[in-house]
Amino acid sequence: MSPDPNLITRHTGQSRIERNSRALVRIGVSALARFYREREQPILGAGFILLLILAWQSLPAIVSLPRGISLFFTTPVEVVKAFYRLVEANEIQSHVYVSALEFIVGLGLAIAVGFPLGLVMGRSKVIDAMLDPFITAFNATPRLVFLPLLMLWLGIGIWSKITIVFVGAVFPLLINTYEGVKNVDRVLVNVVRSFGANEWQTMKIVVLPNSVPYIVAGLRLAIGRALLGVVVGEFFGASKGLGFMIATAATNYKVDVVFVGVTIFMGLSLILTHLVKMVESRLSRWRLEEAKTF
Amino acid sequence: MAPCIQATNVSLTFRPKNREPVTALREFSIEVATGEFVSIVGPSGCGKSTFLNILLGLLKPDAGETRLNGTQIAGPGQERAMVFQEFGLLPWRTVLANVELGLELKGVAVAARRSRAMELIQMTGLAGFETHYPHELSGGMKQRVGLARALATDPQVLLMDEPFAALDAQTRDLMQAELLQVWDRTKKTVIFVTHSIEEAAYLSDRVLVTSARPGRIKQIIKVQLPRPRDYEMRLSAKFNEIKAEIWNALKEELLGRGAGNGT
Amino acid sequence: MALKETISEYRRPLLGVASVVGLTLVWEIAYTYFIPLDPFFFTKPSLIGVAVKDQTLSGELWKDLAISSKAFLWGFSLAVIVGIPIGVFMGWRRRAEYVLDPFLTALYASPLVALAPLFIIIFGVGLTGKVALIFLLAVFPFIFNVFAGVKCTDRLLVNVVRAFGGKEKDIYFKVILPSILPYIVAGARIAIGRGIVGILVAEFYGASEGIGFAISRFGDTYRLPEMFAAILLLMIMAVIFTEGLRKLETILAPWKIGQEAR
Ligand SMILES: Nc1ncnc2c1ncn2[C@@H]1O[C@H](COP(=O)(O)OP(=O)(O)OP(=O)(O)O)[C@@H](O)[C@H]1O
Ligand SMILES: [Mg+2]
């Protein structure tokens, strides 16, 4: 970058070197300011998170914690160390494997059931009316109430967890697919029908594309419910899995291990949510840019 | 020779749930010759859109019959195509894919329908916008897509339901001129519903004025102006006479509604 | 004739009632006469009905419900008191959004119940632990719904109030509050579900009272009818609350009906 000539001529009276170095500092500062201005949002966001982590890390060095609290206290560095220990001992891998299996199978089943059922309910008034009371009731109640029942029925193996993941994830998928089908524009249905489309073609050309954004939103909710199912299911009746690891670590006051588990869950859900968002924006290039809301 | 479109004593009553039934059309009859450009003007709610939907085959009349070239209309078919007031473009499809819709449903091979669609995109002045999505287009361009889509399957009859109502005045004038050019070239039979007397007079061979609901034909006005028509013609005395004639036929119906025997 | 019309008018609710009644009957009959499953693991509607009657009359279940409700109300109220101001602040101040949004979004997207065991060993299984967990889960829907509500507030209305001589206070109470009200209600609806999750997890975990404890104890002691009765009661309450709030939402903001996914 070449120095701005105006900058130099304003500073006559100073030695050339001094002038140049000052100018350089100025350029540096203004470049820095511009860098900040252009990226203020990510800098502030990431900065705050870093600051929190730093504060957490340095807390025990600044204030001496009372015994009662230091028992439950850990620092980010401790958490990272615990993570490496668990990886080296080949312990965490098997937990992750079991949790992932429960998550994938449960969510897969939920998709396989919720999506077609939502389509059928959206197109058939009778089935819709008949299933509606059940769906309203089950959707309003967190399906975790069934956990003790499922434990009773299915024991502590992976199937009780797969089932709780399934019942957690199936309703958002079903309901969102249903809403997507219901909210289809009548005019568009008429347009395709006027070109001679049959029911199946109408479905393919209008109804399905119209429900895609709803389905993806449903998938995002379903992922959250599925993770919840994995975590809580493993708390209360499992012999493997990240939730089990967290629960046992907590009872043994291994707070660093608790945070290893929590961080892995956080990371997973962030990655998955991000993936779904990417799919969403890919699939909805045709939509108007709307205000992002929750 | 049978008229291209023939509707005899068509009646239709809507019976919505939990509401009073509405008779939209009662014994509605018209005939339209092949290649003719006919406009329908009438008070709002008198059943014009309903009639077009019957011709399109989306609605079935309670009584009466509709024929196309002497054959009964039984459902949608590709000899008829509609240009919708609200455009009715699939928002997730590009301009090109929207224009291809009818050909796709007809089972035309990809390459063939692409070249046919490109032809119409050229003709309607949309070249360069093939990969745009509807939300990236202006109102006038959207309606060009609607027109191109309707023309793509080369239908014999073009049904147009207030196609230019959502456009601003200048775009509307432009689109009218372009429609006349296209019509001149393709020689379609057109049934054009509008609320604009000027538009009806400018475009049509005949203007049908309908009564308030339930709609029936009240008066038929022949527009004996030479073609091709241009914008200057709208300033002529003859043109204004025709407009006045349409207005006089319509006036009573509109005032009648105003006096409270409508709805 | 009149009957026929009534039927067609109420077709939808009638079909719903019919399918609920039908399923109950099929269950009852099948269990009684055809497939008598092990009563330790399964039960039937008539027995559940008796259990509902006994439990609600004896007041045992009410006691558990009252204990859970107390924790719920505390946690929920704290979530409202803390969540709404944070949401308003984030929505109204751009820099506050930049600073807080990534951090809070990350927390909202994560299964924070994973922290439940830690909360329980720190705060115990009593009221404090439950309240802390419920608060943690219920606060985010308030923050983010209010945030979205403030962002969607029409800036023109703010200027209108200013132009007529309104003060900062008027802007908050005459423009922002009314326009975020439906969002708060929507947030409350989501928060209720998450709050119940908090109660259940805390009470499954080792409480000695409360509805979650009751359900899990009935399970452990193979008292299936009582367990189903407790679940049914919780479901009915959840439906009343969420559907009530949904109604309230449509009353407060009729223009938003059916917009957002459930
Ligand atoms: N699907 C329907 N169900 C019930 N009533 C309907 C339906 N479609 C139309 N109607 C009623 O039928 C009458 C005629 O409607 P139509 O849309 O054909 O009128 P129109 O002449 O096209 O009016 P406009 O000029 O305002 O477009 C109106 O009173 C309308 O309310
Ligand atoms: Mg109309």
Side-chain angles (χ1 to χ4, degrees):
Chain A
M1 207 194 285
S2 68
D4 184 349
N6 292 328
L7 211 63
I8 297 171
T9 45
R10 254 193 271 129
H11 295 280
T12 47
Q14 288 161 329
S15 81
R16 197 186 184 95
I17 296 167
E18 197 181 335
R19 240 160 46 199
N20 281 349
S21 65
R22 280 212 179 188
L24 279 175
V25 168
R26 254 167 200 258
I27 291 160
V29 168
S30 75
L32 211 65
R34 187 151 45 109
F35 180 83
Y36 173 77
R37 249 185 291 117
E38 281 166 4
R39 298 174 184 73
E40 183 176 30
Q41 189 166 3
I43 290 175
L44 286 180
F48 183 63
I49 292 175
L50 279 178
L51 199 73
L52 283 181
I53 293 176
L54 269 178
W56 182 9
Q57 178 66 40
S58 47
L59 194 65
I62 299 167
V63 287
S64 65
L65 297 165
R67 278 200 71 76
I69 293 182
S70 65
L71 187 61
F72 304 120
F73 199 83
T74 186
T75 59
V77 170
E78 290 297 317
V79 176
V80 174
K81 278 188 196 155
F83 177 71
Y84 276 111
R85 247 189 295 118
L86 290 168
V87 171
E88 298 222 306
N90 231 343
E91 216 185 303
I92 204 140
Q93 287 88 330
S94 57
H95 289 308
V96 171
Y97 172 74
V98 170
S99 295
L101 191 67
E102 291 160 358
F103 175 82
I104 291 168
V105 177
L107 187 62
L109 287 174
I111 293 172
V113 172
F115 174 58
L117 205 56
L119 286 184
V120 170
M121 274 180 70
R123 298 299 284 182
S124 156
K125 286 202 173 125
V126 176
I127 297 180
D128 177 13
M130 288 180 62
L131 292 184
D132 185 60
F134 297 103
I135 286 171
T136 307
F138 280 93
N139 189 50
T141 324
R143 270 78 69 197
L144 282 181
V145 277
F146 298 108
L147 191 60
L149 187 67
L150 291 173
M151 290 296 170
L152 194 68
W153 282 347
L154 300 169
I156 63 164
I158 61 166
W159 281 102
S160 55
K161 263 73 73 189
I162 288 177
T163 313
I164 199 79
V165 169
F166 169 78
V167 290
V170 75
F171 289 97
L173 280 165
L174 191 159
I175 289 168
N176 274 47
T177 310
Y178 169 82
E179 299 270 332
V181 173
K182 277 280 164 191
N183 285 346
V184 64
D185 187 349
R186 288 296 313 165
V187 173
L188 295 185
V189 173
N190 277 343
V191 168
V192 261
R193 289 219 347 228
S194 79
F195 281 105
N198 56 30
E199 170 78 358
W200 163 241
Q201 286 168 321
T202 311
M203 193 89 172
K204 199 184 74 180
I205 294 175
V206 186
V207 178
L208 274 180
N210 187 69
S211 359
V212 165
Y214 293 84
I215 294 170
V216 177
L219 190 63
R220 213 160 61 194
L221 289 175
I223 286 175
R225 303 289 154 82
L227 282 173
L228 179 74
V230 171
V231 175
V232 180
E234 288 175 352
F235 279 172
F236 299 113
S239 49
K240 265 260 149 349
L242 282 173
F244 170 76
M245 183 187 88
I246 292 175
T248 5
T251 6
N252 298 323
Y253 297 103
K254 287 195 211 150
V255 181
D256 47 357
V257 177
V258 171
F259 274 102
V260 169
V262 172
T263 315
I264 293 177
F265 271 125
M266 273 180 99
L268 274 180
S269 61
L270 287 182
I271 291 170
L272 289 170
T273 316
H274 186 70
L275 280 180
V276 174
K277 278 202 176 133
M278 264 164 57
V279 171
E280 199 166 15
S281 66
R282 251 207 107 102
L283 287 177
S284 44
R285 262 197 323 135
W286 50 272
R287 292 176 100 196
L288 277 169
E289 200 54 51
E290 283 172 71
K292 298 262 184 305
T293 53
F294 272 84
Chain B
M1 194 178 107
C4 176
I5 283 177
Q6 184 177 28
T8 8
N9 297 328
V10 172
S11 304
L12 187 108
T13 303
F14 288 106
R15 299 176 198 284
K17 263 189 203 154
N18 314 331
R19 263 185 246 278
E20 289 295 300
V22 179
T23 303
L25 293 169
R26 184 175 296 153
E27 298 179 353
F28 190 90
S29 308
I30 64 168
E31 278 184 14
V32 181
T34 306
E36 194 182 10
F37 197 123
V38 170
S39 287
I40 303 179
V41 291
S44 183
C46 72
K48 303 179 298 289
S49 300
T50 306
F51 181 64
L52 287 195
N53 280 323
I54 290 174
L55 288 183
L56 199 57
L58 288 179
L59 285 175
K60 239 181 120 59
D62 297 332
E65 54 180 29
T66 45
R67 289 177 180 278
L68 178 77
N69 302 322
T71 353
Q72 186 108 23
I73 294 176
Q78 299 223 331
E79 334 74 48
R80 291 151 283 148
M82 174 98 109
V83 180
F84 295 80
Q85 176 181 348
E86 303 298 343
F87 314 132
L89 303 180
L90 299 172
W92 46 82
R93 287 191 172 210
T94 59
V95 167
L96 183 65
N98 262 296
V99 175
E100 281 181 15
L101 177 71
L103 300 163
E104 180 185 327
L105 287 166
K106 206 173 169 180
V108 176
V110 177
R113 71 183 188 226
R114 182 127 314 166
S115 70
R116 170 75 183 145
M118 289 305 292
E119 211 175 283
L120 280 148
I121 284 172
Q122 291 286 347
M123 182 157 118
T124 48
L126 285 165
F129 291 94
E130 298 84 359
T131 56
H132 282 56
Y133 286 95
H135 75 85
E136 299 168 309
L137 304 178
S138 68
M141 287 159 85
K142 282 184 201 166
Q143 201 50 296
R144 276 167 220 229
V145 180
L147 183 61
R149 175 176 69 185
L151 291 170
T153 47
D154 199 17
Q156 195 190 342
V157 181
L158 210 51
L159 305 170
M160 307 183 81
D161 191 2
E162 303 185 40
F164 305 148
L167 307 180
D168 64 83
Q170 279 87 29
T171 313
R172 195 171 177 151
D173 287 343
L174 203 68
M175 293 294 289
Q176 287 165 2
E178 287 183 15
L179 175 64
L180 278 186
Q181 277 179 18
V182 169
W183 179 72
D184 218 34
R185 239 188 297 172
T186 55
K187 291 293 168 217
K188 307 275 176 219
T189 308
V190 180
I191 301 186
F192 190 101
V193 169
T194 178
H195 278 287
S196 157
I197 294 173
E198 168 123 9
E199 186 170 71
Y202 179 51
L203 298 173
S204 322
D205 296 323
R206 280 191 300 156
V207 178
L208 313 184
V209 180
T210 60
S211 66
R213 199 183 63 230
R216 329 181 50 155
I217 299 291
K218 174 156 197 253
Q219 193 172 333
I220 300 177
I221 292 143
K222 274 206 151 69
V223 183
Q224 274 154 338
L225 292 169
R227 291 190 190 264
R229 297 176 186 167
D230 56 18
Y231 197 82
E232 267 74 60
M233 202 174 64
R234 295 190 186 198
L235 306 172
S236 71
K238 175 79 181 145
F239 187 75
N240 282 306
E241 266 168 44
I242 292 165
K243 269 170 64 179
E245 201 179 336
I246 302 172
W247 169 242
N248 283 328
L250 199 55
K251 192 164 60 181
E252 295 163 33
E253 294 304 320
L254 297 174
L255 294 179
R257 275 178 72 84
N261 66 357
T263 13
Chain C
M1 189 61 207
L3 181 71
K4 209 171 174 185
E5 259 166 39
T6 322
I7 288 180
S8 81
E9 196 170 325
Y10 293 102
R11 211 170 99 100
R12 200 180 148 82
L14 281 177
L15 272 171
V17 171
S19 73
V20 172
V21 171
L23 186 85
T24 313
L25 282 179
V26 168
W27 180 0
E28 179 77 30
I29 292 168
Y31 184 83
T32 314
Y33 300 105
F34 302 105
I35 8 178
L37 293 163
D38 187 345
F40 276 117
F41 289 97
F42 219 74
T43 185
K44 59 180 178 177
S46 57
L47 293 178
I48 298 173
V50 173
V52 169
K53 204 184 90 201
D54 290 349
Q55 291 288 322
T56 48
L57 285 186
S58 78
E60 243 184 273
L61 218 50
W62 293 126
K63 214 181 73 210
D64 284 317
L65 212 54
I67 283 160
S68 303
S69 304
K70 190 173 162 202
F72 185 83
L73 283 179
W74 272 106
F76 201 78
S77 313
L78 277 177
V80 172
I81 294 169
V82 174
I84 293 177
I86 295 182
V88 171
F89 185 54
M90 262 171 76
W92 203 238
R93 299 260 153 222
R94 200 164 44 95
R95 288 226 167 77
E97 176 192 340
Y98 291 171
V99 170
L100 293 175
D101 186 47
F103 176 62
L104 295 178
T105 303
L107 289 187
Y108 191 26
S110 322
L112 285 177
V113 263
L115 285 169
L118 197 63
F119 272 55
I120 307 287
I121 59 161
I122 295 177
F123 298 112
V125 290
L127 188 66
T128 330
K130 289 186 205 171
V131 171
L133 194 58
I134 294 165
F135 168 77
L136 180 73
L137 292 177
V139 72
F140 292 99
F142 284 109
I143 295 178
F144 281 100
N145 273 280
V146 169
F147 172 56
V150 175
K151 290 218 104 175
C152 294
T153 301
D154 194 343
R155 301 276 147 163
L156 179 64
L157 295 181
V158 173
N159 286 338
V160 168
V161 171
R162 276 222 180 95
F164 281 105
K167 307 250 167 349
E168 192 73 10
K169 185 190 80 192
D170 297 312
I171 292 173
Y172 276 101
F173 284 97
K174 294 202 164 62
V175 182
I176 298 184
L177 191 65
S179 60
I180 64 174
L181 218 50
Y183 289 86
I184 294 178
V185 177
R189 207 182 68 218
I190 302 169
I192 281 185
R194 292 170 64 100
I196 298 180
V197 167
I199 288 189
L200 290 175
V201 172
E203 291 181 349
F204 284 168
Y205 210 83
S208 52
E209 45 189 7
I211 186 86
F213 168 71
I215 292 173
S216 105
R217 186 197 42 185
F218 289 140
D220 290 341
T221 51
Y222 299 99
R223 290 166 67 191
L224 268 283
E226 281 85 354
M227 185 189 204
F228 274 95
I231 291 177
L232 198 63
L233 204 66
L234 195 74
M235 274 185 132
I236 291 171
M237 289 185 48
V239 169
I240 291 174
F241 277 124
T242 40
E243 291 304 305
L245 285 175
R246 205 189 292 282
K247 272 270 145 52
L248 188 60
E249 236 172 287
T250 54
I251 292 170
L252 288 175
W255 63 90
K256 246 188 73 182
I257 299 172
Q259 208 181 56
E260 156 225 25
R262 282 188 257 183

